[in-house]
Amino acid sequence: MKVLKFGGTSVADSKSINKVISILNNNDDNLFIIVSAFGGVTNLLQECLNLKGKQTEKILKKIESRHLEVIDNLSTLDAQSSLKSFLKEKLNELEDILDAISTIDEVTQKTVSKVLTLGEILSSSIIFEILKQKSFDISYIDSREVIYSKSYDNNEVLDNDRSSISIKNKLDLIKSKLIIAPGYICSNENNEISNLGRGGSDYSAAIFAKYSNAKSLEIWTDVSGVYSANPKIVKKALPIEYLTYKEAMELSFFGAKVIYFPTLQPLIEENIPVYIKNTFEPNDEGTCISNSTKLDKDEIVKGISHIENISILNFEGSGMVGVPGFSKRFFESLSTNKINVIMITQASSEFSICIAVDSNDAISAKKVIDKEFEFEISQNRINQAQIESNLSNIAIVGDKMKSKKGVSGRLFNSLGQNNINIRAIAQGASERNISIIIDEANTKKALNSLHETFFEENLKDVHIFITGVGNVGGYLIEQIKIQKEFIATNLKINLKVLGISNSKKMLVSESEIDLDNWKTLLANSNISSDSDVFQKTILDLNLRNSLFVDNTASNLIPNTYREYLKNGVGIITCNKIANSDTFINYEELKSLSRDNNSAFLYETNVGAALPVISTLNNLINSGDKIIKIEAVLSGTLNYIFNNFQEMDTFHQIVSTAVDLGYTEPDPKIDLCGVDVSRKILILARESGYKLEFDDINKNHFLPEEAINSKSKDEFLSSLKRNKDHFNAILKNAQEKNSRLKFVAKLEKGIATVGLESVSAEHPFYNLVGSDNITVFHTERYKDSPLVVKGAGAGGEFTASGVFADIIKASQNG
């Protein structure tokens, strides 16, 4: 015989019950069928109790309609009348009970059982009649006549002896191929109707499986087994093929809702395997729970479960140390007051105890503990219990964890990389689970991070939010789109763009943005651009492996960096404002990055796609000493002066550079040397010098009129009016057989920028186009300096540098 239990959405309506009938038709074994109430009926009955029987007419109509839908669609016309009469009779009984509750304004435990068990009585009776009409060889057992509870230590527990005898005696009288019984319900020692509590229908099925000597129990629900994590929170969660009883009990205790741990105890005693199956996908493998580990694959961690709405109580004081019986008093006081402890951790010094409880019990637990140790507290030997709330408990579970090194290290690393703080931790001697307490706001991020670590090592999701999608940003999105598949295949990184923002509109989604259609999606967005709202939306999503990418030249966007870094969101930026602001600000951002495990990468601040900053960092980190840095750091200015070979053409060349996107949005920033000054300042700071922007010696070549211009057009016009000034500069260089280069230098902590005429012997002389060059003179590279040279301007090159930083951050995280 096999026992099959159907519940929840498996018996929600006529459509789902037809699925059940199909499953029964495809089964050749003798079957014992346990059914729960029709979907949602138990909640409606509970609602009637919550209202104390008042104004329940609409609820009763809903209950009636749920059952009539099944009767009308599945029962024969001849049988419908008797079933509807039965339904009406039971609903009239329910109305009488609710009227009585309303009159006395009190709900007793006996009344609760009478009301809540009605759903199972109705569903089992109706399905029994429908199956009979379809010519199934079937008998009905009323669970109230065979399953009994008894009072033990002020709790109602299963009366195994009485239930065993009753079930076996009843089964001896039945010869049909199928048997059906209602789940959840039983009778107490006074033969009054009662129930088996939370998960009672599964428990009923396990009891019947045990005492019918069933070869297996199948629990049919609306999911394809026990999942590696809650699939509503972790979208990549997968069904677990095999679990041991102990693994299943651990997962169940710590929040996995597919099966409740009391269900497993009768099955463990008789070594009966249980299968969790999907009524709507009956061919899916589902989950097998048994005593065997031979069926296991090599999974170390089998699943991750969690409980929300947790509080921890911290109880500490020197009066605890070395005092026999202290823990006994502590836990006995909680037990006497029926307060369940979810997790315990105690310092080896015996100076403190920390427990986790349901938040609804936290205040009661504190009062109980403080009362028990009232004397010690009055003597200042122990402090009053302290409550911390809004927490979650997360457990990773697996029998094989004890034989595998590094599991806890991977757990800590995964959470640490995502800036998730662990408030408490516990691990049993069996090493079957590791339980942690974290801030409830980080639950989703933590579950996804841990699931990625232990179950998705082949592909790591990285969530990207981009602000600035013009020249550089547009190229960046195109590069991500083209390379996405390659990076996923070769680097095992899944780049997901979830946010895009320009100066007018923004778009943020929990799912990937279609990069083939992003311009239209952004244009059609009804959300106005706001950097603070953009940030709040990103932080509220609280996704693991998140990166904020700043492709703007905005003075305002860098003000948001601190909050991103504090919350574990990495920063990738080509915007030089933050790192060239005050040294205190620069130092704070670097510190926030280190302290919160948040990437802060800005290679493109200096050399677009050229590895200037990383080369400098590698030299310093490997112990080399920087003597001098010489550089042409503006591809824009190099392009301009390389093309400025004829008189009266300076303003035209600058205009062309603007049109090509080589300059900043305000070209004066480039030509005033502001951009180069920022770059050499950043290199100076990376070299260890605490310089400010005003410490840079700037040798301007622009006339005052150009420097004082108020707009881009006014600036370009001033260049044309001052052509003689630029002609004189060119003539002076040509007379010396030199070329004009805008050079930045750093030597002995002094940084300078300015236009220079370089001779043919100088390494900068042959620098062509918009190329940049940086020359590092170091103790190691004294005789032959280290040179980094290449394209230093243009949106496509800068975008590729930003892209490289995204990949670097993704690999390091």
Side-chain angles (χ1 to χ4, degrees):
M1 176 179 281
K2 291 198 302 189
V3 175
L4 278 62
K5 179 262 176 177
F6 296 94
T9 54
S10 293
V11 286
D13 52 28
S14 58
K15 185 178 178 180
S16 58
I17 294 172
N18 261 327
K19 291 278 188 182
V20 171
I21 294 169
S22 175
I23 291 166
L24 299 178
N25 273 321
N26 291 323
N27 225 307
D28 293 328
D29 293 285
N30 288 349
L31 302 177
F32 200 141
I33 305 159
I34 312 300
V35 293
S36 300
F38 289 160
V41 169
T42 301
N43 290 336
L44 293 171
L45 292 169
Q46 183 62 60
E47 197 174 336
C48 289
L49 290 172
N50 294 341
L51 293 169
K52 291 189 175 180
K54 298 177 177 66
Q55 298 178 333
T56 58
E57 293 81 6
K58 289 183 179 179
I59 301 173
L60 293 175
K61 279 290 182 187
K62 287 182 182 179
I63 294 172
E64 182 180 31
S65 66
R66 294 275 169 92
H67 294 85
L68 286 175
E69 189 273 336
V70 174
I71 294 169
D72 289 339
N73 286 298
L74 295 181
S75 180
T76 62
L77 287 173
D78 293 341
Q80 284 182 13
S81 177
S82 61
L83 280 176
K84 289 179 179 179
S85 295
F86 172 74
L87 173 63
K88 187 65 177 175
E89 176 191 334
K90 292 300 175 184
L91 290 177
N92 286 339
E93 289 178 13
L94 175 60
E95 282 191 74
D96 290 342
I97 295 170
L98 294 176
D99 286 342
I101 293 172
S102 176
T103 301
I104 64 174
D105 198 35
E106 182 182 352
V107 181
T108 65
Q109 188 58 46
K110 183 177 178 179
T111 306
V112 169
S113 287
K114 281 185 177 180
V115 171
L116 293 184
T117 56
L118 180 65
E120 276 73 16
I121 293 169
L122 285 171
S123 64
S124 61
S125 300
I126 292 170
I127 292 175
F128 169 64
E129 291 297 333
I130 290 169
L131 292 176
K132 271 205 312 182
Q133 293 163 30
K134 295 184 181 296
S135 301
F136 281 92
D137 179 19
I138 188 166
S139 300
Y140 185 89
I141 292 180
D142 188 337
S143 300
R144 293 172 291 186
E145 297 175 359
V146 293
I147 298 180
Y148 296 95
S149 63
K150 63 181 180 180
S151 180
Y152 178 78
D153 196 21
N154 293 321
N155 291 307
E156 197 168 342
V157 299
L158 179 68
D159 186 336
N160 278 289
D161 293 338
R162 190 178 179 191
S163 299
S164 170
I165 294 168
S166 298
I167 292 171
K168 289 176 180 178
N169 287 341
K170 183 64 106 175
L171 291 176
D172 285 343
L173 301 174
I174 295 175
K175 304 303 179 184
S176 60
K177 188 175 175 62
L178 273 64
I179 303 169
I180 190 168
Y184 182 59
I185 67 176
C186 66
S187 294
N188 61 23
E189 54 197 345
N190 298 316
N191 292 322
E192 297 169 332
I193 191 167
S194 187
N195 66 77
L196 295 172
R198 183 186 179 196
S201 287
D202 287 357
Y203 192 25
S204 298
I207 294 166
F208 281 122
K210 177 180 178 180
Y211 294 123
S212 66
N213 296 315
K215 66 179 182 181
S216 66
L217 165 62
E218 295 177 4
I219 295 178
W220 291 84
T221 178
D222 57 353
V223 292
S224 297
V226 180
Y227 276 66
S228 50
N230 186 333
K232 293 179 180 177
I233 299 174
V234 180
K235 300 304 180 186
K236 292 186 178 181
L238 296 170
I240 306 168
E241 195 170 352
Y242 299 106
L243 284 170
T244 65
Y245 292 128
K246 291 178 181 178
E247 287 171 333
M249 290 186 79
E250 295 278 1
L251 288 170
S252 175
F253 179 80
F254 286 104
K257 292 182 172 61
V258 175
I259 190 167
Y260 294 103
F261 58 92
T263 302
L264 295 168
Q265 192 56 48
L267 305 173
I268 293 170
E269 292 167 1
E270 299 299 323
N271 199 19
I272 300 170
V274 55
Y275 298 87
I276 312 298
K277 303 281 284 182
N278 190 338
T279 309
F280 307 99
E281 299 292 342
N283 293 324
D284 286 359
E285 288 293 330
T287 299
C288 172
I289 303 171
S290 70
N291 199 36
S292 174
T293 58
K294 292 179 181 178
L295 301 174
D296 258 346
K297 296 180 181 177
D298 293 327
E299 300 103 328
I300 304 303
V301 174
K302 286 292 196 68
I304 304 167
S305 57
H306 77 288
I307 309 171
E308 296 179 0
N309 196 37
I310 294 294
S311 294
I312 57 175
L313 276 77
N314 294 301
F315 195 54
E316 61 181 39
S318 58
M320 297 166 58
V321 180
V323 179
F326 182 90
S327 295
K328 177 179 180 293
R329 290 173 60 196
F330 183 88
F331 291 108
E332 199 170 68
S333 65
L334 294 169
S335 174
T336 302
N337 288 274
K338 298 187 181 302
I339 295 170
N340 182 45
V341 176
I342 295 169
M343 194 182 95
I344 307 164
T345 180
Q346 182 173 17
S348 57
S349 65
E350 300 182 39
F351 183 76
S352 65
I353 292 178
C354 173
I355 61 168
V357 299
D358 187 294
S359 288
N360 295 321
D361 294 332
I363 293 174
S364 298
K366 173 179 166 55
K367 290 178 179 177
V368 165
I369 294 168
D370 288 347
K371 179 67 176 175
E372 175 66 29
F373 296 96
E374 188 174 17
F375 174 74
E376 288 88 345
I377 291 170
S378 70
Q379 299 295 306
N380 294 321
R381 291 161 55 194
I382 296 175
N383 301 327
Q384 288 187 343
Q386 300 296 314
I387 299 174
E388 292 183 53
S389 296
N390 301 315
L391 304 171
S392 286
N393 179 297
I394 294 178
I396 62 169
V397 174
D399 274 339
K400 294 182 180 179
M401 283 166 49
K402 61 185 176 185
S403 60
K404 183 69 174 179
K405 296 178 181 177
V407 175
S408 57
R410 292 173 67 192
L411 179 147
F412 296 139
N413 184 62
S414 175
L415 298 180
Q417 291 289 349
N418 284 280
N419 199 36
I420 299 169
N421 186 39
I422 297 174
R423 310 297 292 275
I425 181 168
Q427 182 174 20
S430 69
E431 299 184 47
R432 189 174 293 111
N433 87 67
I434 300 174
S435 303
I436 58 170
I437 302 291
I438 63 166
D439 191 315
E440 196 168 66
N442 288 323
T443 303
K444 181 178 179 180
K445 185 200 284 189
L447 289 172
N448 279 277
S449 173
L450 291 172
H451 196 271
E452 186 174 79
T453 297
F454 291 108
F455 296 95
E456 306 166 33
E457 292 182 79
N458 289 332
L459 200 61
K460 173 183 180 180
D461 284 345
V462 175
H463 306 101
I464 301 170
F465 303 88
I466 301 171
T467 190
V469 288
N471 185 29
V472 175
Y475 277 116
L476 175 63
I477 291 174
E478 184 65 20
Q479 289 171 10
I480 291 173
K481 184 183 79 173
I482 292 170
Q483 287 298 106
K484 180 177 170 64
E485 186 175 341
F486 176 88
I487 290 170
T489 302
N490 293 277
L491 301 182
K492 306 303 179 187
I493 296 169
N494 184 27
L495 299 177
K496 302 171 73 172
V497 177
L498 304 187
I500 295 174
S501 172
N502 61 20
S503 60
K504 295 179 180 178
K505 292 187 174 183
M506 63 186 193
L507 176 67
V508 182
S509 170
E510 288 193 41
S511 55
E512 283 189 75
I513 293 171
D514 180 3
L515 298 188
D516 286 319
N517 197 34
W518 70 269
K519 289 182 181 178
T520 302
L521 292 171
L522 183 61
N524 292 337
S525 172
N526 56 7
I527 306 174
S528 299
S529 185
D530 184 313
S531 59
D532 291 332
V533 175
F534 194 64
Q535 180 177 74
K536 184 180 185 306
T537 307
I538 294 169
L539 297 185
D540 286 347
L541 284 175
N542 199 21
L543 297 171
R544 70 203 185 286
N545 309 325
S546 290
L547 298 174
F548 172 72
V549 182
D550 180 8
N551 296 313
T552 73
S554 166
N555 290 309
L556 299 176
I557 300 296
N559 294 332
T560 66
Y561 289 3
R562 288 180 185 82
E563 205 60 30
Y564 281 120
L565 294 172
K566 284 179 184 177
N567 285 276
V569 178
I571 302 286
I572 311 295
T573 181
C574 60
N575 188 332
K576 294 174 277 292
I577 299 297
N579 285 325
S580 59
D581 196 2
T582 63
F583 183 81
I584 289 175
N585 181 69
Y586 164 84
E587 199 171 41
E588 182 186 4
L589 293 177
K590 300 272 280 188
S591 177
L592 286 171
S593 170
R594 287 191 301 270
D595 294 346
N596 295 285
N597 258 322
S598 309
F600 181 40
L601 300 178
Y602 41 86
E603 184 68 74
T604 49
N605 275 194
V606 174
L610 296 178
V612 176
I613 291 176
S614 58
T615 299
L616 174 59
N617 289 335
N618 290 338
L619 289 170
I620 293 171
N621 293 338
S622 65
D624 203 354
K625 184 177 180 182
I626 306 300
I627 297 171
K628 180 171 69 172
I629 298 174
E630 293 181 288
V632 173
L633 295 174
S634 173
T636 302
L637 291 175
N638 199 42
Y639 169 86
I640 291 169
F641 286 110
N642 278 339
N643 286 280
F644 183 35
Q645 303 293 334
E646 299 177 11
M647 301 297 176
D648 299 339
T649 61
F650 187 76
H651 69 281
Q652 294 173 348
I653 295 165
V654 173
S655 295
T656 301
V658 171
D659 293 339
L660 290 172
Y662 285 173
T663 70
E664 297 286 339
D666 179 2
K668 186 168 68 173
I669 292 174
D670 292 293
L671 274 79
C672 278
V674 173
D675 190 57
V676 175
S677 297
R678 287 172 177 162
K679 290 178 178 181
I680 195 65
L681 175 62
I682 292 168
L683 289 181
R685 289 173 171 177
E686 295 290 305
S687 300
Y689 296 108
K690 298 182 179 181
L691 298 185
E692 301 290 352
F693 184 80
D694 290 342
D695 295 330
I696 309 299
N697 296 322
K698 307 171 191 71
N699 302 316
H700 294 295
F701 68 91
L702 290 176
E704 287 297 318
E705 180 188 354
I707 293 173
N708 294 327
S709 60
K710 303 298 183 184
S711 68
K712 180 173 75 173
D713 291 339
E714 186 181 333
F715 174 74
L716 293 174
S717 296
S718 73
L719 299 184
K720 187 174 183 179
R721 286 192 296 272
N722 286 274
K723 63 182 181 180
D724 292 340
H725 171 81
F726 299 109
N727 289 341
I729 294 173
L730 176 61
K731 183 179 179 182
N732 182 54
Q734 289 175 338
E735 288 175 352
K736 296 179 181 178
N737 292 319
S738 299
R739 291 179 178 173
L740 294 171
K741 304 292 176 186
F742 198 87
V743 178
K745 294 179 181 178
L746 175 67
E747 187 172 12
K748 296 180 180 178
I750 297 173
T752 60
V753 297
L755 189 63
E756 294 185 11
S757 299
V758 299
S759 62
E761 298 80 30
H762 199 284
F764 296 170
Y765 184 82
N766 291 313
L767 195 64
V768 297
S770 60
D771 283 0
N772 279 4
I773 186 170
T774 302
V775 180
F776 294 100
H777 300 266
T778 74
E779 286 190 347
R780 288 184 192 146
Y781 293 91
K782 196 177 297 181
D783 299 326
S784 179
L786 178 61
V787 177
V788 178
K789 178 182 175 184
E796 187 172 6
F797 293 110
T798 303
S800 69
V802 172
F803 196 6
D805 273 351
I806 289 173
I807 294 170
K808 183 178 179 181
S810 302
Q811 290 177 313
N812 291 343

